[in-house]
Amino acid sequence: MCDGFLAVPGTSFGVHTEAGVALAAGKPMVFVEVEELETSFFGQGLMQAQDASRLRVSSLEDLPKIIEQSDIFPQLLPYQGSGGFQR
């Protein structure tokens, strides 16, 4: 059970499967698109989901700074519970 879903989809079929479960469950989703990593066709499609938000970063090293500056995460705080999106 989770409150939301944060992923770097890349080409990982495991992440794609988990994203599909989160999508089917209506969970809020945040996908991180990393310029230096390949993203599969399926991953690109998942990032287009209606309930998904997307963050774009040049490299994974940029991710912590982008998360702190993003306006996406405050929108997810109402979903905060015992599992996900805790600060």
Side-chain angles (χ1 to χ4, degrees):
M1 169 112 0
C2 70
D3 298 316
F5 184 77
L6 170 70
V8 177
T11 58
S12 168
F13 292 117
V15 172
H16 295 109
T17 301
E18 292 174 10
V21 171
L23 178 64
K27 301 294 182 177
M29 299 182 296
V30 177
F31 291 103
V32 179
E33 186 174 17
V34 182
E35 290 178 15
E36 65 183 14
L37 299 177
E38 180 182 355
T39 300
S40 72
F41 177 77
F42 189 70
Q44 291 172 9
L46 284 168
M47 288 190 275
Q48 300 297 323
Q50 182 178 357
D51 294 329
S53 297
R54 183 190 299 192
L55 292 175
R56 290 187 177 118
V57 297
S58 297
S59 70
L60 285 175
E61 293 175 357
D62 298 335
L63 187 56
K65 183 172 110 179
I66 297 296
I67 287 174
E68 289 177 4
Q69 295 173 350
S70 171
D71 61 348
I72 293 173
F73 290 92
Q75 296 171 11
L76 295 176
L77 290 178
Y79 297 98
Q80 182 175 346
S82 60
F85 296 112
Q86 295 183 7
R87 292 183 172 194

